Structures are given as structure tokens and as C-alpha cells.
Amino acid sequence: MAQILVTGGAGFLGSHLCERLLERGDHVICVDNYFSGRKENIDHLRDHKRFELIRHDIVHPLYVEAEQIYNLACPASPVAYQYNPIKTIKTSTVGMINVLGLARRCRARILHTSTSEVYGDPEVHPQKEDYWGHVNPLGPRSCYDEGKRVAESLCMNYHLAHGIPIRIVRIFNTYGPRMDPNDGRVVSNFIMQALRGESLTVYGHGKQTRSFCYVDDLVEGLIRMMDQNVDLGPINIGNPVENTMLELAEAVLELTGSKSAVKHDPLPKDDPQQRRPDITKAKAILKWEPKVPLKEGLAKTIEYYRRTQFG
């Protein structure tokens, strides 16, 4: 049994991670300020004897004891991180420094969840970890993209200067139960629009691509990355199967049985045209690759929304 801190533990990914760590016998300290996390995501864990919940913003120092730290604290959807861009940047910089300082004091191993957004609108496809990216440092997405790039740099420099045992993963699009239905991400948007009988909003021509990883697969990748002793990262964690937005819309319409139409709106500024991870490192080092096919994961996610939003 390990004492594990999960920052952002009430979020979509964080709540699933907390659940998995408890299932394997760890003691979990969940920290969240509920900026984008939700209490409903962890209500079923609150009475667990090995679960602690602390309401706290990592922009302020945190004093707890932990052997491992998973740093997931940062709004991850465009709607959330653009709502207060300065807050987003502070979480990835000041907050990152505070969490790394805690790791140094506790001599804890820390896994930082970075993002495929560090690649920006990529000129290399698929994206490998040695690609430095194509990011607009002044655009509307820069608060998140550049914040995560700085956070990676902070992790590496704390490792070099103080010997902090770090792990860095770059997460690609992930979906599943407990996604906020109003977070503005394409999977939740399409499902909620289909269930409400509204037109599905496709931006631009709809031929831009993303790669969608089911949350259970993603959490398995995080745990394997934390527990291995071969590579500091970064390592891509995502699904290498590429889908266009129109293909995703068609799958959602089929699985929901919705008769909704598809409408096209202008493409947001700096929206990437292609996004697909090269997971060669994850396969070789972590012995990891996603298992859940898109339609199977979408069906589980649709059932969750039907039960929680319309039940």
C-alpha cells in the first residue's frame, strides 16, 4: 500500500485514477479546488477508509505526506481553460512549482500529465515525443498549450537540479463516463446534442482528425508509467486510431439512434488539423496500448449521459 496524492482528483481523469488506486489497495489523498472538477465524480469514494479529500488550489503551497504524486490539476477543455486563461497559466507554472516543491520535501516520485497540445497544430504526423511542436504562443489556446510546455520544462529542471524522480506523459484525446457534459469537448458535445435532438456542431469541413482513447485504457497507461523505472518521459498516451470529426458524428448518431442533422460552423482559431500519437515508446517501455474500440467506449459514455442527464 502506497500513500498517493492525486491533484485534480475530482476531475474526469482524476476520479477514475483515484478509483483504480483504491481498488489496488493504495491510500489516496485527492486534492481539487473544483474549478473544473466536480464533487459528483468522487461522491462514491468519500466514505472509503483509504480515501482523503482536501479542497485546495495548488497555486498555493500544499503540505501533506506522499510517496507518489500524480499531478492532474489543470482545466483541460477549451471552454474551461479559456474561461480564465491567467488562472490556467498559473496552475501550470506556480502550481507546478508548488507540487514539485512538495515532491522534493517528501522525496516522492511525481508523474505530470502533460498534453498532446504541446504539439500545437503539428507539421509532423503522427506526433512522436521528439517533435518540438508548432504552437502559437499568443493565440487563444496558448494559456493551456504554453503552460503545459513550461510545466514539462519545470519537471525536467527540478529533476536535473534536485534529483526529483519525475515521469511525464502527454495525454491525447480521452473520453468516457464522468466527462462534464458542458465541457465543450467534441465527444461530450456530439453525445449531448444527439440525445437532445439538436444538430451536431462540426467545425470547418469536418475532415480534421483526432484520436480517441477510452478513460480506462488511459488510466492503465498512467499507472504503468508511474511504476516503471526505465524512462522519465515524455511518453505519449493515446489511441493511434485516427478518426475525422464527421466519422465521430456518424458513430454517435448510430449509437444514440438520433435523427439529428449535422451543421458546420467556422473553425476555431489555432484548432489542429491532425492529431494522432505515435505510441511506439509506450508499447516498448510500458507494454501498453489501448484495448477499448471507439464504438464500445462511446456506448458506455452514452449510457452514462442517459443515466445522469436524462434519468
Side-chain angles (χ1 to χ4, degrees):
M1 181 175 69
Q3 179 100 335
I4 300 178
L5 170 66
V6 180
T7 69
F12 161 50
L13 295 181
S15 63
H16 284 276
L17 176 61
C18 288
E19 194 172 63
R20 283 284 296 280
L21 294 172
L22 288 170
E23 286 173 358
R24 77 172 191 179
D26 296 314
H27 185 109
V28 176
I29 305 170
C30 170
V31 169
D32 208 295
N33 66 349
Y34 304 123
F35 181 76
S36 57
R38 299 186 297 162
K39 292 180 180 179
E40 297 94 322
N41 289 340
I42 51 169
D43 273 345
H44 64 298
L45 304 177
R46 296 178 75 164
D47 292 331
H48 197 291
K49 64 182 180 180
R50 286 183 276 102
F51 182 76
E52 295 182 53
L53 175 61
I54 301 174
R55 182 168 187 168
H56 182 83
D57 187 334
I58 64 165
V59 168
H60 305 287
L62 176 65
Y63 300 98
V64 297
E65 296 297 323
E67 299 165 61
Q68 295 183 348
I69 301 171
Y70 287 86
N71 183 44
L72 280 70
C74 189
S77 73
V79 168
Y81 67 64
Q82 291 177 12
Y83 175 77
N84 189 338
I86 294 174
K87 175 70 173 173
T88 299
I89 294 170
K90 288 177 71 175
T91 301
S92 290
T93 54
V94 178
M96 187 79 252
I97 289 170
N98 285 333
V99 175
L100 285 163
L102 174 62
R104 185 184 179 192
R105 288 192 298 273
C106 295
R107 297 182 180 179
R109 176 176 294 186
I110 179 169
L111 182 146
H112 172 60
T113 54
S114 188
T115 172
S116 61
E117 298 295 337
V118 301
Y119 299 123
D121 189 3
E123 297 173 320
V124 172
H125 192 74
Q127 293 78 58
K128 297 182 68 173
E129 291 88 350
D130 59 2
Y131 174 53
W132 291 356
H134 178 225
V135 176
N136 179 358
L138 301 177
R141 304 167 72 101
S142 64
C143 59
Y144 184 68
D145 302 0
E146 295 289 32
K148 287 289 192 176
R149 286 159 71 95
V150 171
E152 287 192 16
S153 176
L154 284 167
C155 285
M156 187 56 67
N157 281 285
Y158 264 75
H159 170 70
L160 295 173
H162 304 298
I164 304 299
I166 64 164
R167 302 290 184 269
I168 300 171
V169 296
R170 290 176 178 162
I171 296 175
F172 284 67
N173 289 61
T174 307
Y175 70 99
R178 299 186 204 143
M179 288 182 73
D180 186 332
N182 302 306
D183 69 0
R185 300 190 217 196
V186 65
V187 172
S188 52
N189 277 355
F190 281 180
I191 293 175
M192 293 303 295
Q193 288 170 337
L195 293 178
R196 290 170 178 155
E198 302 168 354
S199 295
L200 274 61
T201 305
V202 171
Y203 294 102
H205 46 57
K207 294 181 180 179
Q208 64 272 33
T209 64
R210 297 293 185 272
S211 303
F212 300 100
C213 184
Y214 189 64
V215 62
D216 288 355
D217 286 333
L218 187 284
V219 168
E220 178 66 24
L222 296 183
I223 292 173
R224 291 192 187 197
M225 181 64 177
M226 174 66 92
D227 291 345
Q228 57 82 33
N229 296 307
V230 176
D231 198 284
L232 303 179
I235 288 183
N236 291 332
I237 300 292
N239 195 329
V241 178
E242 197 171 4
N243 297 98
T244 69
M245 297 301 94
L246 287 175
E247 288 171 345
L248 178 66
E250 290 168 2
V252 169
L253 291 173
E254 175 190 338
L255 291 167
T256 58
S258 173
K259 303 301 181 184
S260 295
V262 172
K263 68 173 182 176
H264 291 260
D265 280 359
L267 196 68
K269 183 176 173 58
D270 297 331
D271 193 59
Q273 289 299 302
Q274 291 181 305
R275 189 60 63 73
R276 176 163 67 94
D278 182 313
I279 62 167
T280 302
K281 283 183 70 175
K283 287 181 177 180
I285 296 170
L286 309 181
K287 304 297 185 287
W288 176 92
E289 60 183 312
K291 306 292 186 186
V292 179
L294 179 62
K295 285 191 175 181
E296 180 182 331
L298 285 176
K300 293 178 181 180
T301 309
I302 290 165
E303 172 56 30
Y304 167 79
Y305 282 136
R306 279 195 166 124
R307 185 175 69 252
T308 59
Q309 302 299 311
F310 302 96

